[in-house]
Amino acid sequence: MSTETQDGMAVLEAGLRALHATRSVELRQRFDRSLPFGEMVVDRWARARALGFGDGASIYDSAVVIGTVQVGELTWIGPQVLLDGSGGLAIGATCSISAGVQVYTHDSVAWALSGGNAAYERAPVSIGDHCYIGPMSVITKGVTIGRHCLVGANSVVKQSLPDHSIAVGSPARIVGRVVLDAASGVTLQYDRDGTR
């Protein structure tokens, strides 16, 4: 490496370190948080706009987007999320897709087990408006989640959920209902024995 290249890299590194230090202080003072460098410098709302998401939607820099993914307005896509749109993925408005969620519209099970002879299987996924998908949950291909649904943390959703469902577990099962009132209140109404 030439001396000129080494000098240029040293200047760049010093600039990045200074930016990191400045942004670290700003974020701690303003939001009381510390983030990885990429999250400090990437505008989540600008990234969402560049991906064609709805107005006011945001997506963390660490989130992975594969294929075409449609996302409604004001939806929040958290850190370390994987959105696989290779089979068709639509997420509604004002959803919260929590940290570590993985949404798949394909799988390679048959391909792998057949020694590469079978094709990947694909089926679209749809998440309705006003849903909360808990941290580290997995949604598998072909699933439709209705409007106003709550999926608990660490759930594996393998079957479609009707509007207003509360679903938890691996595999996820419906354990209650989201009830809304005219004053914008939300009540989580659980089945007595946790079954439906």
Side-chain angles (χ1 to χ4, degrees):
M1 190 179 308
S2 72
T3 303
E4 185 177 288
T5 301
Q6 288 177 342
D7 290 345
M9 289 182 69
V11 169
L12 176 61
E13 182 179 334
L16 289 172
R17 287 178 189 267
L19 175 61
H20 180 264
T22 300
R23 289 294 291 147
S24 291
V25 170
E26 288 171 358
L27 288 171
R28 292 293 289 169
Q29 289 175 346
R30 187 167 177 199
F31 301 110
D32 193 23
R33 67 179 62 175
S34 176
L35 298 172
F37 185 65
E39 306 293 2
M40 289 181 182
V41 296
V42 172
D43 182 325
R44 294 180 305 184
W45 295 269
R47 183 174 184 217
R49 284 191 301 275
L51 289 166
F53 294 179
D55 289 343
S58 69
I59 181 169
Y60 271 74
D61 182 53
S62 59
V64 174
V65 178
I66 300 167
T68 302
V69 176
Q70 298 173 347
V71 174
E73 65 183 17
L74 299 175
T75 287
W76 179 82
I77 309 292
Q80 304 297 321
V81 167
L82 184 143
L83 300 176
D84 163 26
S86 66
L89 175 55
I91 300 171
T94 62
C95 291
S96 182
I97 311 299
S98 300
V101 167
Q102 299 175 32
V103 182
Y104 292 100
T105 61
H106 85 280
D107 74 43
S108 59
V109 174
W111 174 85
L113 296 176
S114 70
N117 294 317
Y120 282 25
E121 295 179 8
R122 298 182 194 284
V125 169
S126 176
I127 300 172
D129 294 337
H130 324 302
C131 289
Y132 176 87
I133 310 299
M136 305 303 288
S137 292
V138 175
I139 300 169
T140 62
K141 73 179 189 324
V143 167
T144 296
I145 296 175
R147 295 165 48 94
H148 302 282
C149 288
L150 182 155
V151 173
N154 294 305
S155 296
V156 178
V157 183
K158 298 173 73 173
Q159 295 182 353
S160 294
L161 303 174
D163 292 352
H164 300 274
S165 295
I166 299 172
V168 300
S170 179
R173 60 185 171 69
I174 296 172
V175 297
R177 180 168 174 74
V178 175
V179 178
L180 305 172
D181 66 34
S184 298
V186 176
T187 302
L188 303 180
Q189 195 172 68
Y190 290 93
D191 299 338
R192 285 181 185 230
D193 61 359
T195 62
R196 203 142 267 253

